[in-house]
Amino acid sequence: MANGLEACINRMRDAQMSDTAVAQFQRMYEAWEADETGWIHESDVTPMTDIVSVADFHDTMPTRTARAALAKTAILKLNGGLGTSMGLDGPKSLLPVRRHKARQMRFIDIILGQVVSMRAQHKVQLPLILMNSFRTSKDSLSAVRHNRKFHQDDIPLEIIQHREPKITGHNGMPVSFPKDTDLEWCPPGHGDVYSTLWESGILDVLQEHGIEYLFISNSDNLGARPSSIIAGYFAQSRSDFMVEVSRKTPADRKGGHFVVDNATGRLILREMSQVHPDDKAAAMDVHVHPYFNTNNIWVRISALKKVMKKYNGILPLPVIRNNKTVDPTDSSTQRVVQLETAMGAAIGLFDSAQCIEVTRSRFLPVKTTEDLFILRSDRFHLTDSFEMEDGNYIFPDISLDQRYYKNIHDFNERFPYGVPSLAAAASVTVEGDWTFGRDTACFGDAHLEDTNRPSYVPNGEYIGSNGIEPDTWQ
């Protein structure tokens, strides 16, 4: 497929992509072309079962140590996503999550609130950097600049992630989509964060301002708040790279997890796409592999620069083949391949790396409207320090009919007064087209069956295992 690679590179050159972007794409393309994905067999790794937990030192970490570490920490949020799987056409971080003191709060508002409150509480600079994409930059920066309490002048607020051509699987040529040429491009996965940081020069800027540590997380994970306690531990540890992991529940069985490579003795990230079919059962067994990757990462800037220099700004991370359609919102459009890398996979490149166990409160991602359904419910309270607070962070199983609730606009239309109460719900299953009235509540294993027509849950009704429950309490 030499002609395909050449055509892709020419397209990137025509779009004035940098040498780093081109070289990174070429490495991924050649790995994909050679089918170097490979399996990580269960027999070749050792499960990670005994690791340090934040609970081990949470109450004994000296306040001075924690604050000093936070004073040398910067926050990097991966903010390049559009949320196309939910039918969004703008930055996912501008999606409203819930209200706080009557004000509608979006992901970006809550992130800024977390940073501002931590700055005030600990009296630290705590710079915030957004890794935007070419499609999220303008709107995201506009939202930040409209926040009256957030100010940052000396350190750039954003870096722009690279982009690459989407390719056709059978011949490796760059896809053509005249209807919307922006859709001919895609990001190279969140593993691109390292080459973007390297090329931007912002690592040097951070060091000039006394910043030694970088905390990286996804903008759609509102649990990934700045933590002085974890910063303090990382500063005291001998680790250069640390990933937060959490204990699996059955819902996390298919998530990526870290294992020890028997050949090298190093920690490596194993995604489910790298698990051989014969090993699937063991890989998803929560007793064999009890932890999953939250994608919250701590890294020493000096160590990162050393590793980046070793590899000339392009880390040799495993390549992930992501099969999609050229228009992610239209399954009838041409099928394409997006080549990606995962940022957690960099753990294997550092001489001193570790995982640390955190509670479920630090992993609250929103990938679907079902996730949003929980975050918008009464299970959560948004505190004045902008923490998404719940009693135990063990949530009901949610299953919403994808025909009517997958798209955010359809979802909002069917919950005009907000989502039902989930305080007493063990699970919620909605089949068919239901619109919910005001002050509805789910309890037990709530279940609404498909009536084969648009249906309505009246104001104040309770939904249980038999659907809308009759009012027999009066």
Side-chain angles (χ1 to χ4, degrees):
M1 299 183 183
N3 290 338
L5 176 57
E6 183 180 357
C8 288
I9 290 176
N10 287 338
R11 177 170 291 186
M12 295 180 78
R13 294 293 189 197
D14 290 342
Q16 299 182 324
M17 299 289 160
S18 68
D19 290 343
T20 299
V22 172
Q24 177 173 251
F25 174 76
Q26 182 172 347
R27 190 197 75 82
M28 290 196 292
Y29 189 103
E30 290 173 345
W32 166 71
E33 188 177 22
D35 195 22
E36 293 178 357
T37 50
W39 304 114
I40 301 178
H41 292 280
E42 190 72 17
S43 59
D44 295 330
V45 300
T46 299
M48 192 180 57
T49 56
D50 184 20
I51 64 173
V52 174
S53 169
V54 172
D56 296 337
F57 57 81
H58 185 277
D59 295 332
T60 59
M61 173 66 64
T63 301
R64 181 177 297 179
T65 300
R67 180 173 295 168
L70 194 65
K72 298 177 181 178
T73 300
I75 309 299
L76 175 60
K77 288 289 183 179
L78 307 185
N79 192 54
L82 292 175
T84 50
S85 62
M86 297 167 64
L88 292 168
D89 53 10
K92 188 176 181 180
S93 59
L94 299 189
L95 176 66
V97 179
R98 59 186 304 115
R99 291 187 177 277
H100 179 64
K101 296 181 177 177
R103 180 187 170 198
Q104 191 71 267
M105 302 296 289
R106 304 164 295 183
F107 284 96
I108 192 69
D109 300 318
I110 296 174
I111 290 169
L112 294 175
Q114 291 174 350
V115 171
V116 169
S117 65
M118 288 296 282
R119 286 176 175 178
Q121 179 184 350
H122 295 281
K123 296 180 173 56
V124 294
Q125 56 179 326
L126 198 63
L128 172 67
I129 304 162
L130 302 177
M131 186 169 87
N132 287 322
S133 67
F134 65 101
R135 301 186 71 180
T136 64
S137 175
K138 181 179 178 181
D139 291 340
S140 296
L141 290 184
S142 176
V144 173
R145 287 166 181 152
H146 278 83
N147 188 299
R148 297 178 182 177
K149 295 184 178 180
F150 179 87
H151 303 283
Q152 185 167 304
D153 300 318
D154 298 335
I155 295 174
L157 184 58
E158 76 164 356
I159 55 176
I160 300 293
Q161 69 182 35
H162 296 117
R163 56 176 177 158
E164 65 185 22
K166 298 176 182 178
I167 57 180
T168 53
H170 66 282
N171 63 9
M173 296 294 288
V175 71
S176 177
F177 196 63
K179 181 179 178 182
D180 185 351
T181 56
D182 279 350
L183 292 177
E184 297 174 353
W185 300 89
C186 64
H190 44 64
D192 177 59
V193 65
Y194 304 113
S195 60
T196 300
L197 281 167
W198 176 258
E199 188 177 34
S200 70
I202 201 167
L203 295 176
D204 295 329
V205 175
L206 290 172
Q207 286 184 316
E208 290 168 2
H209 284 80
I211 300 299
E212 299 180 16
Y213 319 114
L214 196 57
F215 174 52
I216 311 172
S217 61
N218 295 321
S219 64
D220 66 1
N221 176 13
L222 294 177
R225 302 170 64 246
S227 168
S228 61
I229 299 294
I230 300 178
Y233 173 82
F234 184 59
Q236 288 186 319
S237 75
R238 296 181 179 180
S239 295
D240 293 325
F241 192 96
M242 185 174 75
V243 184
E244 297 179 19
V245 297
S246 190
R247 288 194 174 270
K248 288 182 179 179
T249 66
D252 309 308
R253 291 180 307 127
K254 297 182 180 180
H257 54 268
F258 293 94
V259 291
V260 178
D261 184 350
N262 293 339
T264 64
R266 290 186 177 229
L267 284 169
I268 58 173
L269 172 64
R270 182 167 71 160
E271 301 284 6
M272 287 307 297
S273 61
Q274 297 171 299
V275 176
H276 190 276
D278 293 343
D279 296 328
K280 291 286 187 183
M284 292 192 294
D285 189 328
V286 299
H287 301 292
V288 176
H289 296 282
Y291 303 101
F292 72 94
N293 173 27
T294 68
N295 228 31
N296 299 342
I297 293 176
W298 297 78
V299 62
R300 290 181 190 266
I301 293 176
S302 58
L304 177 59
K305 287 175 66 175
K306 182 178 178 180
V307 171
M308 295 302 300
K309 184 176 181 180
K310 176 180 178 180
Y311 293 105
N312 296 316
I314 302 169
L315 300 186
L317 304 177
V319 176
I320 301 167
R321 173 186 175 134
N322 198 345
N323 296 308
K324 291 195 173 185
T325 54
V326 62
D327 182 349
T329 65
D330 185 352
S331 60
S332 68
T333 56
Q334 181 182 355
R335 297 201 63 79
V336 297
V337 174
Q338 298 182 192
L339 301 178
E340 303 177 0
T341 57
M343 70 175 178
I347 197 170
L349 303 176
F350 288 81
D351 294 330
S352 176
Q354 73 171 103
C355 293
I356 185 170
E357 181 186 350
V358 298
T359 64
R360 194 66 181 214
S361 65
R362 292 189 62 77
F363 185 71
L364 303 172
V366 175
K367 303 300 181 185
T368 66
T369 52
E370 292 171 337
D371 298 329
L372 187 64
F373 182 83
I374 296 175
L375 257 65
R376 285 185 176 177
S377 77
D378 59 354
R379 284 298 304 266
F380 279 101
H381 166 64
L382 185 59
T383 71
D384 287 344
S385 59
F386 298 90
E387 177 182 3
M388 294 291 291
E389 191 175 71
D390 178 60
N392 59 13
Y393 299 94
I394 300 174
F395 307 115
D397 294 328
I398 307 297
S399 177
L400 305 179
D401 196 315
Q402 294 297 284
R403 294 173 297 172
Y404 307 106
Y405 301 93
K406 180 179 181 179
N407 183 288
I408 187 63
H409 304 292
D410 294 337
F411 176 89
N412 287 336
E413 188 176 84
R414 285 163 176 78
F415 297 107
Y417 305 106
V419 301
S421 167
L422 299 182
S427 67
V428 177
T429 302
V430 179
E431 298 171 344
D433 184 2
W434 288 85
T435 297
F436 290 70
R438 189 190 304 273
D439 299 326
T440 59
C442 296
F443 68 94
D445 293 310
H447 186 191
L448 290 171
E449 294 184 349
D450 191 352
T451 63
N452 296 314
R453 65 180 185 277
S455 303
Y456 182 69
V457 180
N459 294 346
E461 292 288 354
Y462 288 83
I463 305 150
S465 58
N466 296 315
I468 300 174
E469 297 287 333
D471 186 2
T472 58
W473 299 348
Q474 297 183 8

